[in-house]
Amino acid sequence: MGSINLFWQLPGELLELWHEHRTSIIYSAIVFLTVARLWLHYRYPREKASLSSTPGSPDLYAKKWSIGIDREKDLTVDVPLLNGVIGKNIAAKTPKSIRKASPKRVVGKKSARASKELDKPFEAGEQRVAPLLFFSSLGGTTQAAAEAFVSNINSWRKHLSADEADNFVEAKCHDLSYIEYDDFFISAPKDQNLAYLYLFLLPTYNIDTTLDTFLEHLQETHNDFRIDTAPLSSILGYSVFGFGDKQDWPTEEEGFCSQAREVDKWMAKITGRKRAFPLGMGDVRTDSKERLEEWTEGIKEAMSDIMSGKGLGEGVAGSGDAVESDEEDADAEENTKTKLDDVEDLGSSYRNGTGAESGPLAIDFTTYSKSTKTVEPPVLKEMVPTSSPTYTALTKQGYTIVGSHSGVKICRWTKSALRGRGSCYKYSFYGIQSHLCMETTPSLSCSNKCVFCWRHGTNPVGTTWRWKVDPPEEIFEGVKAGHYKKIKMMKGVPGVRAERFQEAMRIKHCALSLVGEPIFYPHINEFTAMLHKERISSFLVCNAQHPDQLAALGHVTQLYVSIDASNKESLRKIDRPLHRDFWERFQRCLDILREKRFMQRTVFRLTLVKGFNIDDEVEGYADLVAQGLPCFVEVKGVTFCGTSTSSSAGLSMSNVPFYSEISEFVIALNASLEKRGLGYGIAAEHAHSCCVLLASNRFKIDGKWHTRIDYEKFFECLESGEEFGPDDYIGDETPEWALWGNGGFDPRDERVDRKGRPKVIIGDGTPQKNLIEI
Ligand SMILES: *[C@@H]1O[C@H](CO)[C@@H](O)[C@H](O)[C@H]1NC(C)=O
Ligand SMILES: *[C@@H]1O[C@H](CO)[C@@H](O)[C@H](O)[C@H]1NC(C)=O
């Protein structure tokens, strides 16, 4: 069409000539173009591969050219937008990388695939690990740190066995001001025998430095290879450590370690998320030395893992949690986005997916079952045999099943805390940091089928223990291993902080709740004793259906009883208990709690479900409080998981109370308790989890609430062997921000919404639906 328009304006003879020869001209043109295309195809296979699938957005190219023209003086411009020639232009722009590129190097691939292929474990003997440390230094401090780091790694290498040491070459450092970026940051240096680990030590400046140029380069590389997305995915991994100054930039929002964070983010993109260890950050005025040591240890571990063929460890590539995904995933890169919504989902999809290796979560607990199988009489069945649908369902939900009746799972708050975001209400109320907390249960079975239980229908139920019993030691070791394994899988997740990651490798608290009924387990006291021996605190939640076990329970740090309704009919409707005498059992449990109130730190846990147990029940709940006299009453709105099981149980979003409704309820309950002269008050709140804490005046000292726990004191009391009670391990004053009326969000943490964007603090009383499972 265009050609016809053009020919209209040509003189007559030319037009005739054209008519005479047009067939041959067109044929020669076609032949010429075909030959040219083929030549380009073989000459520049990489660009062709990517560009042939390009929808050819002019905007994209325009952007690309303009960036290129700015930075590359030798660039030939004004090249027509033809497939092959675009390839040529990129070649002109990045001469070294292209010319050096061996045709075999896999770059022109989507990162998802590329990283899978390139993720093949490092094979000792074939290649050696080459750690490269890049640094940037103005005053020389970072340079000194970089040199110290390199000599540290190299002396560590000297102390390894000859075999191990042979697996990697000496670490080298490179000043980012002197190297050619193209030599390292468009594709890795080409040495068939080496596999690279990129490490970075970066200070933060508020003036323009090499670091800005470097960041620009990373950004540009990523944008140039938009279709390839991960040109550096052939390296083994990377990790970044930043030095910042908290005096001038107290928080990350204000710019603390901003450049290190940027480099970490861009490296994740161009390597296809090969973060070998979380981003480390240190304040030059206070803790940078410690933080750097911590990070260095982490790097050594990562190197050991790589050398022993474990790759970056489990769950690293693509382990971003969609719920909490940050910019890295939320970027326009839909094509690289993994379909895995949750770290825990990795297991199930890998297991029967492509899995040559069965993949990250294939946790082999057969050893546990084996060892006990031989001991136990054959008549007793396992509660959750590996072959059962229950096992599959629980595993799919992210549980690690330990032995035949225990489970462990890391909750979203643990992940949140690892990423420097908020902890759950247990931090506001009791000082428990979520990344130090393990959630587990020694009994996956329960005697209720509560309507709001999100594992509803997947956990076994029963009124008596009729299964094979696993020994407590086995469970204890198994759940710890399972927990640590899951923490380790968070290593490469965007935003995980090296400092918190390292801290998380030492469990300090254990929540015995999750699914099932922990005191159902016959050796529960031995189990909690093991926790305490390792100075792990214990929060135990029970359902008020096992009075005998409750009476026999030894010391725990905090003892919860779920109070799901205020009267018999309501309780039947909501808990759907299996015991016929459920109400009597419930009553007996309250009486036991009352007797134990000076020995155990007792808590009533009220889970409010709209349309089930809120309306007109305030007085009933106040009566129950009068009966059990708990130290605390936690009131929490139900969380909705939107599964078919919860809706078949008659639950929907309309059953989830607004925070304002929870608040109203709590105020009414408080008034009702006051009327009875029981001595309680509203102590703290955590609006984010829709949770409010009422406390007995025993925990109000000099007019101030002291809901926090002195954990060390608790262990000391236990070890002393003498009688003690909750008053003996009252901890610090409840922080101001956690008090009733202040929302309960730790101001030191970054507040984000479910998409990971910074979030404004909820004002008082703003209606808020809470969908978060804890
Ligand atoms: C994987 O397993 C799930 C259920 O466990 C099944 O629905 C799905 O079809 C399986 N996928 C493949 C690829 O076998
Ligand atoms: C809760 O009750 C106590 C007395 O028991 C009272 O002093 C306090 O003001 C009440 N709190 C609220 C928020 O109503």
Side-chain angles (χ1 to χ4, degrees):
M1 267 167 42
S3 63
I4 292 171
N5 284 332
L6 185 67
F7 287 126
W8 276 350
Q9 288 144 24
L10 291 173
E13 313 96 85
L14 258 179
L15 199 59
E16 263 169 42
L17 258 176
W18 164 249
H19 281 306
E20 223 168 279
H21 299 289
R22 64 182 171 193
T23 324
S24 43
I25 291 173
I26 289 169
Y27 275 127
S28 350
I30 290 172
V31 169
F32 174 75
L33 287 172
T34 315
V35 169
R37 220 186 126 94
L38 282 173
W39 179 78
L40 287 166
H41 180 85
Y42 288 110
R43 184 87 173 82
Y44 305 115
R46 181 163 68 181
E47 289 71 36
K48 276 290 288 109
S50 53
L51 287 157
S52 51
S53 60
T54 313
S57 143
D59 284 347
L60 181 67
Y61 291 133
K63 192 172 163 215
K64 193 180 284 183
W65 302 108
S66 70
I67 297 170
I69 295 157
D70 281 352
R71 303 222 339 122
E72 305 286 333
K73 287 154 207 90
D74 59 347
L75 179 67
T76 47
V77 282
D78 285 329
V79 197
L81 295 181
L82 281 175
N83 273 358
V85 192
I86 287 166
K88 187 172 181 181
N89 185 58
I90 291 178
K93 183 171 161 340
T94 57
K96 274 179 201 144
S97 66
I98 303 299
R99 269 163 223 158
K100 277 200 253 161
S102 67
K104 269 188 189 159
R105 190 158 282 277
V106 191
V107 183
K109 285 197 177 206
K110 286 192 175 178
S111 72
R113 244 187 96 193
S115 60
K116 196 167 278 174
E117 281 186 17
L118 292 164
D119 254 354
K120 64 173 187 299
F122 167 80
E123 280 171 40
E126 279 182 19
Q127 280 190 318
R128 304 165 83 197
V129 182
L132 295 182
L133 179 76
F134 300 95
F135 67 90
S136 160
S137 193
L138 271 191
T141 329
T142 313
Q143 178 160 12
E147 282 159 5
F149 175 88
V150 164
S151 62
N152 181 332
I153 291 285
N154 290 338
S155 68
W156 171 63
R157 177 176 179 264
K158 284 202 195 98
H159 290 96
L160 294 175
S161 69
D163 270 359
E164 284 174 313
D166 201 41
N167 278 333
F168 78 98
V169 299
E170 290 212 331
K172 281 196 189 132
C173 61
H174 293 288
D175 188 335
L176 285 170
S177 322
Y178 296 114
I179 56 162
E180 284 283 348
Y181 297 153
D182 291 2
D183 291 346
F184 297 96
F185 294 101
I186 286 176
S187 55
K190 313 278 171 306
D191 186 328
Q192 296 296 329
N193 304 316
L194 298 181
Y196 295 90
L197 181 65
Y198 281 21
L199 304 167
F200 299 84
L201 280 193
L202 306 171
T204 317
Y205 301 115
N206 58 352
I207 49 170
D208 276 358
T209 63
T210 337
L211 219 42
D212 299 285
T213 326
F214 177 58
L215 273 166
E216 235 170 76
H217 177 89
L218 293 183
Q219 190 167 348
E220 212 174 279
T221 307
H222 175 70
N223 289 333
D224 271 354
F225 289 87
R226 202 159 186 94
I227 310 100
D228 307 345
T229 68
L232 268 189
S233 57
S234 64
I235 68 167
L236 284 172
Y238 80 93
S239 186
V240 181
F241 184 89
F243 294 99
D245 183 346
K246 285 214 164 143
Q247 188 162 312
D248 293 332
W249 300 280
T251 66
E252 286 177 34
E253 292 77 69
E254 288 163 293
F256 181 65
C257 290
S258 58
Q259 280 146 330
R261 283 184 290 134
E262 284 277 298
V263 171
D264 178 61
K265 190 180 84 181
W266 287 108
M267 282 302 292
K269 289 179 200 248
I270 68 174
T271 59
R273 301 180 176 195
K274 291 207 154 178
R275 193 180 282 107
F277 194 71
L279 168 69
M281 291 183 282
D283 174 17
V284 287
R285 288 174 200 270
T286 56
D287 61 357
S288 62
K289 198 158 166 271
E290 282 162 80
R291 296 285 91 83
L292 181 60
E293 273 166 18
E294 232 166 51
W295 182 78
T296 308
E297 287 314 302
I299 298 298
K300 288 178 189 168
E301 270 169 44
M303 286 182 67
S304 302
D305 281 356
I306 290 171
M307 285 186 288
S308 57
K310 289 186 199 154
L312 290 183
E314 288 150 348
V316 170
S319 56
D321 178 338
V323 175
E324 293 186 86
S325 64
D326 62 16
E327 224 185 314
E328 203 168 285
D329 330 81
D331 200 33
E333 302 174 67
E334 297 307 325
N335 55 345
T336 62
K337 217 166 187 175
T338 112
K339 288 201 190 87
L340 305 167
D341 283 342
D342 202 312
V343 182
E344 292 108 334
D345 290 344
L346 275 170
S348 44
S349 39
Y350 270 64
R351 210 180 311 283
N352 63 356
T354 49
E357 280 98 26
S358 54
L361 260 185
I363 295 155
D364 180 15
F365 282 113
T366 48
T367 44
Y368 292 95
S369 346
K370 250 183 238 152
S371 59
T372 43
K373 235 176 236 160
T374 52
V375 182
E376 294 296 327
V379 275
L380 280 177
K381 277 200 201 138
E382 292 187 325
M383 184 194 287
V384 186
T386 30
S387 55
S388 67
T390 306
Y391 183 95
T392 313
L394 287 168
T395 313
K396 225 173 189 168
Q397 289 170 38
Y399 292 91
T400 298
I401 310 297
V402 175
S404 62
H405 55 72
S406 309
V408 63
K409 184 183 181 183
I410 69 170
C411 90
R412 68 166 292 275
W413 287 108
T414 300
K415 299 178 202 166
S416 165
L418 277 171
R419 311 174 82 199
R421 296 176 182 172
S423 286
C424 80
Y425 69 92
K426 290 194 200 103
Y427 181 63
S428 313
F429 299 175
Y430 315 118
I432 289 185
Q433 298 185 70
S434 299
H435 64 296
L436 308 181
C437 179
M438 165 172 79
E439 260 200 291
T440 184
T441 182
S443 165
L444 288 161
S445 168
C446 188
S447 52
N448 286 344
K449 298 199 286 179
C450 306
V451 292
F452 52 78
C453 183
W454 58 84
R455 296 85 193 189
H456 186 65
T458 50
N459 62 309
V461 290
T463 50
T464 53
W465 187 281
R466 54 175 199 277
W467 301 279
K468 174 175 98 74
V469 179
D470 294 335
E473 299 80 14
E474 238 172 65
I475 300 176
F476 186 52
E477 292 308 319
V479 294
K480 279 194 297 181
H483 177 82
Y484 286 132
K485 189 158 186 161
K486 294 208 161 173
I487 295 280
K488 279 193 175 159
M489 288 175 56
M490 293 288 294
K491 192 163 71 171
V493 170
V496 169
R497 302 294 183 237
E499 182 187 353
R500 294 203 178 186
F501 180 79
Q502 295 292 55
E503 281 173 2
M505 298 313 289
R506 161 79 176 87
I507 300 166
K508 298 192 94 168
H509 307 283
C510 175
L512 289 151
S513 47
L514 221 53
V515 56
E517 175 62 33
I519 60 171
F520 213 11
Y521 175 55
H523 303 297
I524 185 67
N525 282 333
E526 283 119 296
F527 185 80
T528 52
M530 286 172 193
L531 290 172
H532 299 153
K533 196 164 165 231
E534 295 199 1
R535 299 217 152 199
I536 299 173
S537 75
S538 54
F539 276 32
L540 186 142
V541 186
C542 62
N543 65 8
Q545 286 298 302
H546 302 276
D548 297 338
Q549 285 88 340
L550 185 61
L553 186 73
H555 268 294
V556 290
T557 315
Q558 188 152 283
L559 174 61
Y560 284 81
V561 172
S562 296
I563 306 290
D564 297 331
S566 67
N567 59 66
K568 188 171 174 182
E569 269 329 293
S570 184
L571 190 67
R572 188 203 304 280
K573 216 167 74 186
I574 199 151
D575 276 359
R576 303 190 293 184
L578 297 184
H579 290 288
R580 302 181 69 84
D581 57 345
F582 68 95
W583 186 246
E584 290 68 33
R585 287 171 169 265
F586 183 77
Q587 295 284 330
R588 267 179 67 207
C589 282
L590 295 193
D591 294 339
I592 292 165
L593 224 57
R594 181 194 184 103
E595 285 160 28
K596 290 205 174 198
R597 71 184 187 280
F598 292 109
M599 178 205 164
Q600 299 271 28
R601 204 176 140 109
T602 55
V603 186
F604 273 16
R605 155 67 76 79
L606 273 56
T607 304
L608 299 188
V609 187
K610 226 158 119 178
F612 278 90
N613 62 1
I614 306 183
D615 307 324
D616 311 321
E617 296 204 24
V618 169
E619 292 303 318
Y621 285 117
D623 288 340
L624 297 181
V625 173
Q627 185 179 346
L629 291 177
C631 302
F632 299 95
V633 181
E634 260 179 26
V635 182
K636 197 170 171 305
V638 70
T639 54
F640 181 62
C641 49
T643 63
S644 53
T645 47
S646 52
S647 34
S648 71
L651 266 202
S652 76
M653 267 309 290
S654 61
N655 298 106
V656 177
F658 286 106
Y659 188 57
S660 59
E661 292 168 305
I662 301 288
S663 302
E664 273 167 39
F665 174 90
V666 167
I667 290 169
L669 180 60
N670 184 54
S672 187
L673 295 176
E674 188 178 9
K675 208 168 65 189
R676 287 167 174 74
L678 291 177
Y680 285 83
I682 310 178
E685 70 173 331
H686 191 243
H688 197 62
S689 347
C690 233
C691 193
V692 182
L693 182 70
L694 288 124
S696 154
N697 289 340
R698 288 163 64 192
F699 299 87
K700 198 174 201 174
I701 300 168
D702 299 330
K704 307 257 190 198
W705 288 113
H706 284 65
T707 57
R708 292 206 157 184
I709 296 172
D710 186 342
Y711 297 98
E712 287 313 304
K713 195 79 190 299
F714 170 77
F715 299 121
E716 282 166 22
C717 289
L718 257 185
E719 285 156 16
S720 74
E722 294 179 9
E723 290 272 307
F724 72 101
D727 306 272
D728 296 320
Y729 55 98
I730 295 177
D732 293 337
E733 207 178 289
T734 313
E736 183 75 23
W737 49 263
L739 295 177
W740 172 246
N742 296 346
F745 195 86
D746 184 353
R748 290 169 307 171
D749 278 320
E750 186 191 349
R751 178 145 210 165
V752 291
D753 68 10
R754 285 171 71 79
K755 288 240 168 81
R757 293 172 297 232
K759 186 176 184 175
V760 280
I761 307 281
I762 306 160
D764 36 23
T766 308
Q768 188 210 10
K769 285 279 183 188
N770 184 350
L771 305 175
I772 290 148
E773 166 192 319
I774 61 160

